[in-house]
């Protein structure tokens, strides 16, 4: 039975010493990525122009526990271990017999879970003599996390930011510049890929796919520069497992354990980070439901197909076997910008395919309604992405109210929404539109899937 704590905290001494690698415990692994040109499996040499060797090794590692280097733990200690909260006030507001907990990653300086991998990636690049990183960013969560990490290790960073966000959402750009990064609107005149788009569409609002192509080209054509990705890849998910490892200790501390976990999924990294250490226990026999929550406007798990697809619109990245809506899929402009990715991390996709995790899709008005309820009960204003998990948990708690079940519910609260207040304003004024992607548009994008490796 749970104790009386509201905020369950660990001391800095209890900060995990290792990341957990789920690949060590899976009976089958996702197939290796395929080369975009040849359709053959991609080897370390293919990835070496883009990533440092340490990260390439982690990408394919089957070691269960991977040590977290001390300089990374030193930086983690600026905000980690993060608190696990018991949402007593939300429970009371809902009148539910369920016990609701949330693991809060919004206490990081960038306001989300993303620095957990940004710091690790900056560290390994620095170790291998890299001077400069490039990346893309949509609304700016990833760009800002990596800007902070590069500041810590004295690395230069150039961020290609989707033009529409660059113009409409200046605050995360200013955050990136404050941490010392250079940020340009994408498509930019600085790369071949950008110039090509600009020649055809001088007013292009940009897209994540175009920005990825620019950042990859920049890194591939300079010997002092590598590329960094904030989600999807195995090593990114690995770095995030520090979240779930802490949560396991925190539940042990109060003598409780979740019956069901809800996490939001864009590329899958915060979900994986929280849940993979619990997936391990589920594979060992613990009865536990693990639910990925995605937007109805970008339903890659619930309505996509499990096949090889490109990571980007520009068809430059290797092909990954994943749940995908097709690399040409353009999701509606929902406010949870971090969840607008056409694909899903291969490891998360595999778990879904094997029925180890579940998935649901929610429309954005319901999501914001849940977020506002949460804010009024608990104080924290959730990131629109995290709010998907919040809403799903509220629905579960209300089902418990009907059945009288005292379930234990865990929410992955991946970040705060302080830079997303325009989205809250739109919701509060009744201006949010619910997009359900039409089946026709999904079929159209799926028709563009590459025909390799199937
Ligand atoms: C980027 C982001 C996400 C989505 O990315 P994942 O890789 O799926 O975690 C979710 N929540 C927050 C707060 C984010 O910044």
């Amino acid at each position: 039975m749970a104790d009386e704590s509201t905020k369950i905290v660990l001391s800095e001494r209890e900060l995990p010493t290792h990341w957990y690698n789920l690949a060590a415990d899976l009976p089958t692994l996702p197939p290796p990525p395929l080369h975009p040109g040849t359709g053959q499996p991609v080897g370390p040499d293919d990835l070496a122009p883009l990533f440092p060797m340490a990260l390439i090794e982690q990408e394919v590692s089957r070691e269960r526990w991977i040590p977290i280097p001390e300089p990374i733990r030193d930086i983690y200690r600026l905000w980690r271990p993060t608190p696990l909260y018991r949402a007593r006030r939300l429970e009371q507001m809902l009148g539910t017999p369920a016990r609701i907990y949330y693991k809060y990653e919004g206490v990081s300086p960038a306001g989300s879970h993303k620095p957990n991998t940004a710091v690790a990636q900056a560290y390994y690049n620095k170790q291998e003599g890299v001077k400069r990183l490039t990346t893309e960013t949509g609304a700016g969560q990833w760009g800002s996390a990596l800007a902070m990490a590069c500041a810590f290790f004295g690395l230069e960073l150039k961020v290609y930011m989707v033009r529409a966000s660059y113009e409409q959402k200046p605050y995360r750009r200013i955050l990136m510049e404050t941490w010392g990064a250079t940020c340009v609107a994408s498509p930019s005149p600085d790369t071949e890929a950008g110039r090509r788009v600009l020649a055809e569409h001088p007013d292009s609002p940009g897209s994540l796919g175009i920005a990825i192509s620019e950042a990859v080209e920049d890194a591939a054509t300079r010997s002092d520069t590598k590329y960094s990705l904030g989600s999807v890849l195995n090593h990114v998910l690995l770095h995030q497992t520090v979240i779930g490892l802490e949560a396991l200790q925190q539940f042990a501390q109060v003598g409780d354990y979740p019956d069901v976990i809800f996490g939001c999924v864009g590329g899958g990294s915060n979900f994986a980070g929280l849940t993979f250490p619990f997936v391990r226990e589920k594979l060992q026999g613990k009865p536990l439901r693990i639910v990925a929550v995605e937007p109805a406007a970008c339903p890659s798990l619930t309505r996509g197909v499990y096949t090889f697809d490109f990571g980007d619109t520009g068809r430059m990245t290797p092909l990954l076997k994943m749940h995908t809506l097709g690399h040409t899929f353009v999701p509606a402009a929902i406010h949870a910008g971090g969840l607008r990715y056409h694909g899903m991390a291969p490891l998360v996709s595999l778990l879904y395919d094997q029925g180890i995790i579940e998935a649901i899709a929610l429309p954005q008005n319901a999501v914001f309604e849940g977020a506002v309820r949460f804010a009024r009960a608990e104080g924290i204003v959730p990131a629109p992405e995290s709010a998907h998990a919040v809403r799903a948990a509220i629905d579960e708690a209300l089902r418990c109210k009907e059945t009288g079940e005292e379930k234990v519910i865990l929410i992955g609260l991946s970040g705060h929404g302080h830079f997303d207040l325009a989205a809250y304003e739109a919701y509060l004024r009744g201006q949010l539109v619910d997009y359900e992607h039409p089946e026709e548009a999904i079929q159209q994008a799926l028709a563009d899937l590459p025909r390799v490796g199937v």
Side-chain angles (χ1 to χ4, degrees):
M1 190 58 206
D3 76 356
E4 294 306 307
S5 307
T6 293
K7 201 151 51 19
I8 302 142
V9 289
L10 300 173
S11 74
E12 288 178 19
R13 269 178 294 104
E14 293 164 292
L15 181 69
T17 55
H18 292 70
W19 293 298
Y20 167 62
N21 182 12
L22 179 67
D25 289 314
L26 285 177
T28 52
L29 288 177
L34 303 179
H35 192 280
T38 64
Q40 294 303 306
V42 163
D45 292 347
D46 297 308
L47 297 173
L50 294 183
F51 301 106
M53 216 25 95
L55 294 178
I56 294 172
E57 280 163 13
Q58 289 179 359
E59 193 60 24
V60 296
S61 170
R62 299 208 60 181
E63 285 294 312
R64 181 169 294 111
W65 300 106
I66 299 193
I68 309 176
E70 239 5 84
I72 297 176
R73 295 182 76 234
D74 283 343
I75 291 175
Y76 278 177
R77 270 189 279 268
L78 290 171
W79 70 91
R80 306 208 71 86
T82 63
L84 175 73
Y85 283 86
R86 171 83 184 272
R88 293 182 191 282
R89 297 177 52 83
L90 180 65
E91 291 168 16
Q92 277 158 23
M93 181 189 268
L94 299 173
T96 178
R99 297 197 290 285
I100 306 174
Y101 294 85
Y102 54 97
K103 177 72 169 161
Y104 186 43
E105 290 295 304
V107 293
S108 85
S112 77
H113 65 289
K114 289 194 170 75
N116 296 330
T117 184
V119 168
Q121 293 189 41
Y123 168 80
Y124 289 114
N125 275 287
K126 181 74 180 185
Q127 283 292 101
E128 297 186 26
V130 175
K131 300 278 181 269
R132 179 175 174 272
L133 291 181
T134 63
T135 196
E136 71 288 337
T137 198
Q141 289 105 321
W142 170 241
S144 55
L146 192 61
M148 180 184 79
C150 286
F152 288 151
F153 289 103
L155 290 169
E156 259 184 75
L157 173 64
K158 181 156 176 183
V159 181
Y160 293 86
M161 184 171 189
V162 176
R163 180 178 298 276
S165 304
Y166 184 93
E167 283 165 2
Q168 290 159 18
K169 300 176 180 172
Y171 293 113
R172 284 208 183 85
R173 169 174 60 75
I174 298 165
L175 203 52
M176 289 183 245
E177 290 170 351
T178 302
W179 276 315
T182 305
C183 185
V184 293
S186 167
S188 79
D190 303 2
T191 65
E192 212 26 71
R195 286 189 292 272
R196 222 178 304 129
V197 178
L198 286 174
E200 254 186 70
H201 309 282
D203 300 325
S204 166
S207 72
L208 216 45
I210 297 169
I212 295 178
S213 303
E214 287 203 90
V216 167
E217 177 190 322
D218 183 332
T221 51
R222 279 183 60 161
S223 60
D224 64 345
T225 301
K226 295 215 185 289
Y227 168 71
S228 176
L229 192 64
S231 188
V232 179
L233 298 180
N234 299 343
H235 68 266
V236 179
L237 276 48
L238 172 79
H239 301 151
Q240 294 294 352
T241 57
V242 67
I243 304 172
L245 292 169
E246 286 176 6
L248 276 173
Q249 289 188 69
Q250 286 162 314
F251 275 106
Q253 191 172 304
V254 293
D256 216 350
Y257 197 85
D259 294 302
V260 52
I261 308 178
F262 294 100
C264 68
V265 283
S269 75
N270 87 88
F271 173 82
L274 175 64
T275 65
F276 281 6
F278 289 92
V279 168
R280 176 173 188 236
E281 303 206 336
K282 179 165 176 146
L283 292 172
Q284 291 167 349
K286 270 259 180 359
L288 167 65
R289 288 178 56 215
I290 301 173
V291 186
V293 190
E294 59 186 13
C298 193
S300 41
L301 284 176
T302 53
R303 294 177 70 191
V305 293
Y306 186 42
T307 186
F308 279 94
D309 195 10
F310 294 101
D312 66 329
T313 325
R315 298 168 162 256
M316 285 177 67
T317 70
L319 298 154
L320 300 172
K321 184 156 187 196
M322 59 183 174
H323 280 85
T324 178
L325 293 160
H327 59 278
T328 56
F329 178 83
V330 181
I334 53 163
H335 284 281
L339 306 185
R340 295 178 68 242
Y341 184 62
H342 68 273
M344 184 57 59
L347 280 171
V348 173
S349 295
L350 181 85
L351 292 178
Y352 184 61
D353 186 59
Q354 299 196 337
I356 297 165
I357 62 167
E358 303 164 40
I360 56 173
L362 296 178
Q364 64 176 349
N365 273 296
V367 165
F368 275 92
E369 194 218 309
V372 167
R373 276 210 239 181
F374 185 90
R376 291 178 187 175
E378 296 292 318
I380 294 168
V381 177
E385 292 86 2
S386 323
H388 287 72
V390 168
R391 175 65 208 218
I394 288 176
D395 289 343
E396 183 77 22
L398 292 174
R399 278 191 292 275
C400 290
K401 184 177 180 173
E402 276 172 26
T403 60
E405 283 173 289
E406 292 182 20
K407 275 191 195 165
V408 178
I409 300 171
L410 171 59
I411 303 169
L413 199 66
S414 50
H416 67 63
H418 297 180
F419 293 102
D420 305 282
L421 292 177
Y424 277 88
E425 182 180 38
Y427 168 73
L428 293 170
R429 291 192 178 167
Q431 295 166 343
L432 274 196
V433 180
D434 279 337
Y435 301 95
E436 178 105 21
H437 221 84
E439 186 58 29
E440 208 178 274
I442 291 181
Q443 288 311 324
Q444 208 168 2
L446 292 179
D448 293 332
L449 281 171
R451 313 229 161 266
V452 286
V454 232

